[in-house]
Amino acid sequence: MTVADVSTQDRYPTRVSAESAMLDRTDPVVWPGVDSGPATSAELASHDAKGFHIVEGLLSPAEVQAYWQELERLTTDDSVRADERTVIEAKSNEVRSIFEVHVLSELVHELVRDPRVLDRARQLLGSDVYVHQSRINYMPGYRGTGFYWHSDFETWHAEDGMPGPRAVSLSVALTDNYPFNGGLMLMPGAHRTFVSCIGETPDDNYKSSLKEQKIGVPTEDDITKLAYEHGIEQFTGPAGSALWFDSNSMHGSGNNITPYPRSNIFIVFNSVDNAPVEPFAATGRRPGFVASRTADPVRR
């Protein structure tokens, strides 16, 4: 049996009922266990209260330029485009995402191990960490499509078997993030509520959900309740800025109809003490390039 027994193991049941539900989070947001790191006490307090915090100037202008050139190299490489790790926009036929980019790119491999990144991830999760997922997201001008409201943890729990929300995502802007070019929106404080979603997980759901997610998204009523309770903030800032956000943050983005593209490097760190088990609401595991099951700690 590949679906976990939710009656005895599942603290965050989802996709198992005809009705949605809002459950109180039972796990910490900032975990004890690592007492030092680059995050300040104010940043940790913000992360705990809002579910996210922003680090301005994580990358220097020269580093941004190097990573942008790497993105251009990857998106124009025919072999990368043909690889199953690359997701193509359903309508425009342009590259939307390239997964497992820390394996494909030596530059991103180095970024994962950079003390500015790795030590902050360890500080937030209170343990050694590994890369659960990495990708480059590319939202071109005029034709870039957004992501509907969702919690990443809901998917990682249901389809990957991640037991609890002891994971954190890093989004590093490689282009300027304006309020009008599809920047990420988040609901501050909503990370303390787990939204149990309706609907069963189709086989190989990842093949369509990475282009347009339809399963594992909250109802409009649930989104409305959360938005009126918590409000909505947006990640904006110059290239090189970084957003750290909790795995259960409610977030989404709109389409980009401006001439200004928006691209970012996306890295998910999971605690080695939160390694995936069997999926809680899917009949099979997603591929390793979408969700790593090798919980070997990242070392410098």
Side-chain angles (χ1 to χ4, degrees):
M1 183 175 181
T2 57
V3 179
D5 183 352
V6 298
S7 65
T8 58
Q9 301 180 38
D10 195 349
R11 294 180 292 124
Y12 298 98
T14 186
R15 310 187 197 181
V16 293
S17 172
E19 295 183 359
S20 65
M22 291 192 179
L23 309 176
D24 290 336
R25 180 193 186 119
T26 58
D27 289 273
V29 180
V30 176
W31 288 72
V34 176
D35 297 327
S36 62
T40 66
S41 57
E43 289 172 332
L44 294 175
S46 173
H47 192 89
D48 186 64
K50 291 185 173 184
F52 60 88
H53 70 283
I54 295 171
V55 179
E56 297 181 356
L58 176 69
L59 299 183
S60 69
E63 288 175 315
V64 169
Q65 182 63 23
Y67 281 105
W68 176 254
Q69 290 173 350
E70 181 71 348
L71 181 149
E72 288 291 289
R73 181 187 71 81
L74 291 169
T75 55
T76 57
D77 186 320
D78 289 341
S79 64
V80 173
R81 186 181 177 89
D83 195 289
E84 63 176 344
R85 290 173 284 194
T86 299
V87 179
I88 305 297
E89 289 276 13
K91 295 180 180 179
S92 68
N93 203 37
E94 295 191 57
V95 172
R96 178 181 178 92
S97 302
I98 301 172
F99 280 80
E100 210 170 44
V101 70
H102 71 294
V103 175
L104 293 171
S105 167
E106 182 62 31
L107 266 181
V108 181
H109 177 84
E110 292 173 1
L111 181 64
V112 166
R113 287 155 177 77
D114 190 307
R116 295 173 295 177
V117 170
L118 177 58
D119 289 357
R120 189 177 293 256
R122 295 183 70 255
Q123 194 177 3
L124 290 166
L125 299 181
S127 69
D128 283 334
V129 298
Y130 72 95
V131 177
H132 177 73
Q133 183 187 103
S134 74
R135 65 180 187 261
I136 284 181
N137 289 331
Y138 182 64
M139 182 179 281
Y142 298 114
R143 295 174 297 278
T145 55
F147 292 88
Y148 194 70
W149 290 106
H150 65 286
S151 153
D152 289 329
F153 172 63
E154 193 280 339
T155 295
W156 299 338
H157 183 67
E159 299 185 36
D160 300 334
M162 185 180 287
R166 194 174 180 178
V168 66
S169 298
L170 168 65
S171 176
V172 184
L174 298 183
T175 52
D176 293 342
N177 278 21
Y178 302 107
F180 43 74
N181 68 335
L184 196 69
M185 298 178 289
L186 307 100
M187 296 184 186
H191 63 299
R192 294 194 179 277
T193 300
F194 177 78
V195 180
S196 176
C197 297
I198 60 177
E200 295 183 357
T201 309
D203 291 342
D204 293 331
N205 182 50
Y206 76 96
K207 292 181 179 179
S208 60
S209 68
L210 298 181
K211 297 181 180 181
E212 182 180 6
Q213 188 169 355
K214 295 181 179 180
I215 301 297
V217 296
T219 65
E220 289 186 2
D221 284 346
D222 289 339
I223 294 170
T224 299
K225 291 175 184 176
L226 290 174
Y228 274 92
E229 179 178 356
H230 300 286
I232 296 173
E233 295 185 15
Q234 190 175 37
F235 172 41
T236 60
S241 302
L243 170 72
W244 290 86
F245 62 103
D246 180 80
S247 60
N248 194 47
S249 290
M250 188 60 63
H251 64 286
S253 61
N255 295 343
N256 182 14
I257 61 171
T258 75
Y260 310 110
R262 185 177 70 84
S263 301
N264 68 289
I265 300 172
F266 185 81
I267 304 167
V268 180
F269 292 99
N270 188 28
S271 169
V272 296
D273 298 323
N274 192 44
V277 293
E278 293 303 317
F280 286 92
T283 57
R285 301 174 176 182
R286 297 198 297 176
F289 67 84
V290 177
S292 174
R293 308 189 71 86
T294 305
D296 295 330
V298 177
R299 302 297 186 194
R300 292 184 199 168

